Structure formats: C-alpha cells, structure tokens
Amino acid sequence: MSDGRPAWAQRIAAERTARDWSQLDAVKALRAHAPSELPADDSMVRQWKRWEAGAMPGEFYRPIIAATFGTVTHALFPAPSRRNGDEEILVASGMETLEIVGRLNRSDVDNATLDALRITTDRLCSEYPHLPSEQLLIEGRQWLKRVVDLASKNLTLAQHREVLALSGWLALLVGCVEYDTGNRHAAESTRRAALSLATESDHAEVAGWAHEMRAWFALTTGDYKGVIAAAQAGAEQAAHHGVAVQLAGQEAKAWARLGDRRQVEVALDRGRRLLEGMPHPDNLDHHFVVDPAKFDFYAMDCYRLVGEDKLARTLADEVLRVGTDFDGMERSPMRNAEARVTLGVTAAREGDLEQALIHGERALQGDRQSVPSLIMTSRELAAVLRQRYATEPAAQEYLTHLRDLGQAKPGFLPS
C-alpha cells in the first residue's frame, strides 16, 4: 500500500489491523451495521480492497463504514471548514472592534451591534485551542464585562435575552481557560455564573455546556460518579444539542476509569449516534462545537483505559494527524498532547521505555496546555512507569518533571 493514499483509506486499513480483522472479517462486521442487504462476500471483499487502496466509498457506504469502526462519517471522511473571525465581523456588520466598543457606550443598542458581538464571541471561542491562555483570559474577561454591562441599557426583551446568552457563552469560555490554568475556584464560580445566565435566558445549550464543565472538573479530580451525574443532568437539559455528544463522551471516560467496559460502549455508542444525526459544523475551531474528530479523541481515551492498546494507538495517530497542519503547526495542541500520552502508555506497556518517554515528555512541552487534563492522563503513564521501570533513571527523570508540573498547580498534584 502506498503512503500516498488518502488519509481515510490509511485509517480504515489501520482500524481493521488494530482489530486483527482480515478484509473478510471487516466485510462481515460491515454487514452487521448495514440497513439493508449487501452484495456477496467475494464482491464486498473486492470493494473493501478498493476502498483501502483509495477509491472513495459511495454515500451509502460511508456511514456504515464509520459505524463499523465506532466513529462518525465526518471523522473518517471529513469536510474541513475554517473561518476568519475578524473578516466575518467586517462582512456581517462593517464594524471593527473600536466601533463596536463605541456603540456599546450608547444608551441603546441596535441589532447590528448585537450581531457584531455574537461574531466576536464566536471568534474568541474559536481561538481557544491556539491563543495563549493568559491573553485569551484577558480578552474574554474584557468582553464579558462589556456584554454584561449591556443589561443596564435600553433593550427589547429579545435583545435582553440575547445579551444574557452572549454573557453565558463568554462566561463558559472564561471558566474553561481559568480551569486550564489551574484556577479551580475561579473556574467553578464562573461556571455557576454561566449556568445562572442560561437559566435566566432559558438557553438550553449554554446550560448543557455548564453541566459539561462540571463533568470535566469532576473527571480531572477523580470524582467519577460526579461526572456521570453531571453528564446525565446536562443531557436532560440539552438532549438535542451538540453538547449532548460531549456529555456522552465525558460519561464514557468516567465509566472507563470505573472499569465498566459495557457502560463505556453504551455511552460511546449513544454519543456516536447523536453526532451522526447532526449536521456537519460550520466552524470546527469553535470550542463549544463538537466536531467529528473530537469523538475519536474521547474514544481514544476510553480504549487506553480499558487496555485496548491497538485501538487506542490507532486513534492517537489519527488525533495527531487531524490536529496537525501540513506545515507542522498544531491545530489542536491540547488534544495532541493527550494523544502523545496515549502513545506513551501503549509503548510503555509494550516494553519500549525510550518511545514511552519521548512521547511523554513531548506531551508536557506544549505552550497551550490544559494542565488538569494533561496531568490526569500523564498520571496513567506515570503509573505504568512506576510499575515496570521503577529503577530506570530516565523514567525517574520523567516522573520528577511531572511532579514539578503538579506542584506548580497544587490542586492537580498527581498521586
């Protein structure tokens, strides 16, 4: 097979190999997910060979192939979309930031200003993966204050609800960055504020994300029952929004840490089915949009925890591929860091200490980090290293590095 094949063709071959399936095994698994009768095995095996060689499957087969491998159509066969937030603001409203701020100081606010604020909020949420956390925190808090101050202006009822919703989105963003940087108490206060704004504006999606943040906080502090409770509360409020997919992912991660493989599969399958039925996102960079690749990221975490090393490694490679541009620039540095930890864990379990440490150290080197999430996953690599390589100086050096990172954020010190 040539390396020049499309990424999706390489992936379905890797997914099949990770399951120790022959191509005939893959065809039989495909049948189990097909909504109607498929051609005979010999014909389907020839078809499968063509797909792995790079011939694009038809629209009928794409979702079936995705389901066979426990993912969604657009994760295997993506339709990428990137947006320029600053250009969108100008196109939509003709306003730059200074003009928007000037309009906010008036006694009344027009709909064009609210449109510009909505796009500004989207832009900030889309910069979450890339912008240094300190800068994003400053900008997010500044815009949150400006939008909250609008509540005292002369607004219609509809405008008032819009302002509350925008405040909720900005509070969610600020809370996430606060938590990334280790400020747990501020993050929880901001999350509660977002939930209150969601309740006041009757905004189910913002409420769902506030519950998702509670699930995330609980996951990284080891409160796995709390994760499940938060995920279920959020799903009840926002069952038809994209956040329900991420809530299912968080629940699956909690079940994986509790050692319940069956519940892991149930939660992942629920999230996969929800995501498969949703339209492809317009903006893949938006932090509060669940893009198809993010579902693979959640599944990677779960497979690593339940000991499915081949599947975890295959998905980690896919997370890194999708999260890195052609020039080597990382589009998803935080996801990439956790994928490298996954590769480190699987290498350590296979007896390759050198590769385990290369991946583990690389994960700790990124400029844009979610410290609690990174420590949580790195703790798993540390456990394998302590168990298998306790006397190795290189392993001890990595453990010291990880301990230093934890001491810098004492609320997330690994055990």
Side-chain angles (χ1 to χ4, degrees):
M1 296 273 183
S2 169
D3 288 339
R5 289 176 299 153
W8 57 263
Q10 296 182 49
R11 178 176 175 184
I12 64 173
E15 291 268 10
R16 177 178 62 77
T17 302
R19 290 164 172 79
D20 295 323
W21 287 352
S22 66
Q23 290 175 328
L24 178 58
D25 292 332
V27 166
K28 290 178 178 178
L30 192 74
R31 290 190 188 283
H33 294 86
S36 59
E37 190 70 22
L38 299 181
D41 282 350
D42 56 349
S43 174
M44 286 305 305
V45 168
R46 287 195 297 273
Q47 185 74 280
W48 191 279
K49 289 179 183 293
R50 292 180 64 249
W51 294 337
E52 288 195 6
M56 173 64 78
E59 291 186 9
F60 172 78
Y61 284 108
R62 288 177 215 165
I64 307 173
I65 296 169
T68 299
F69 292 128
T71 188
V72 291
T73 306
H74 286 299
L76 270 178
F77 309 102
S81 172
R82 294 184 67 87
R83 297 158 65 185
N84 185 312
D86 292 332
E87 288 182 4
E88 279 200 61
I89 293 173
L90 288 171
V91 169
S93 63
M95 285 184 271
E96 295 182 339
T97 299
L98 286 177
E99 185 176 354
I100 298 171
V101 174
R103 283 174 173 248
L104 296 180
N105 292 326
R106 299 177 183 175
S107 60
D108 57 353
V109 176
D110 59 21
N111 288 331
T113 304
L114 287 177
D115 286 342
L117 281 176
R118 190 181 306 111
I119 296 167
T120 299
T121 300
D122 284 348
R123 176 182 62 81
L124 288 170
C125 291
S126 300
E127 289 176 345
Y128 174 84
H130 317 289
L131 206 63
S133 52
E134 295 81 4
Q135 182 181 345
L136 186 56
L137 197 55
I138 290 170
E139 287 194 40
R141 285 171 172 168
Q142 287 175 340
W143 282 104
L144 177 58
K145 183 180 185 305
R146 289 165 182 161
V147 175
V148 168
D149 287 346
L150 279 183
S152 62
K153 306 291 186 181
N154 295 326
L155 302 173
T156 66
L157 180 60
Q159 288 176 330
H160 183 70
R161 289 186 63 184
E162 176 76 4
V163 166
L164 291 175
L166 289 172
S167 300
W169 286 118
L170 288 167
L172 290 171
L173 176 65
V174 169
C176 285
V177 183
E178 287 171 337
Y179 200 72
D180 282 340
T181 56
N183 195 341
R184 290 172 57 185
H185 297 298
E188 174 58 17
S189 296
T190 308
R191 185 197 72 81
R192 289 176 180 270
L195 184 58
S196 177
L197 289 162
T199 301
E200 191 175 351
S201 61
D202 193 26
H203 201 292
E205 193 172 10
V206 171
W209 280 107
H211 286 293
E212 190 278 337
M213 286 175 66
R214 181 162 70 94
W216 173 35
F217 297 175
L219 184 74
T220 55
T221 52
D223 178 14
Y224 305 133
K225 294 293 187 182
V227 177
I228 295 165
Q232 292 174 351
E236 186 175 337
Q237 282 200 269
H240 304 295
H241 295 279
V243 66
V245 178
Q246 187 146 322
L247 288 162
Q250 296 286 28
E251 185 177 342
K253 292 169 82 167
W255 284 120
R257 286 164 172 81
L258 289 169
D260 193 326
R261 174 63 182 268
R262 190 181 75 83
Q263 290 294 340
V264 170
E265 296 292 353
V266 168
L268 283 177
D269 192 57
R270 182 170 66 252
R272 185 192 65 77
R273 290 176 184 274
L274 284 169
L275 186 55
E276 190 67 86
M278 293 178 178
H280 191 264
D282 291 330
N283 181 7
L284 297 177
D285 290 329
H286 197 294
H287 182 55
F288 300 109
V289 165
V290 182
D291 63 285
K294 196 168 191 178
F295 187 79
D296 289 334
F297 170 73
Y298 277 105
M300 173 197 76
D301 181 270
C302 295
Y303 286 134
R304 181 186 69 247
L305 285 159
V306 300
E308 292 281 2
D309 288 351
K310 289 183 180 179
L311 292 176
R313 186 168 57 247
T314 298
L315 288 175
D317 288 338
E318 180 66 12
V319 169
L320 286 168
R321 185 191 68 78
V322 173
T324 307
D325 280 335
F326 68 94
D327 59 358
M329 180 72 70
E330 299 207 347
R331 296 184 57 193
S332 306
M334 289 173 280
R335 293 187 209 175
N336 286 2
E338 293 189 41
R340 291 188 175 100
V341 173
T342 295
L343 292 174
V345 169
T346 59
R349 288 174 180 165
E350 293 171 353
D352 191 339
L353 175 61
E354 182 180 3
Q355 281 301 309
L357 294 175
I358 288 172
H359 291 304
E361 285 289 356
R362 178 78 185 277
L364 300 179
Q365 291 171 1
D367 293 330
R368 182 67 176 96
Q369 296 178 341
S370 175
V371 173
S373 295
L374 183 56
I375 289 180
M376 177 187 70
T377 53
S378 296
R379 183 183 299 143
E380 296 162 24
L381 175 56
V384 178
L385 294 178
R386 289 192 189 98
Q387 179 185 2
R388 303 191 182 197
Y389 309 98
T391 61
E392 294 285 346
Q396 289 299 319
E397 185 177 344
Y398 170 80
L399 293 172
T400 299
H401 187 178
L402 182 60
R403 193 176 301 114
D404 291 343
L405 178 62
Q407 288 172 343
K409 307 293 179 184
F412 303 105
L413 185 63
S415 58

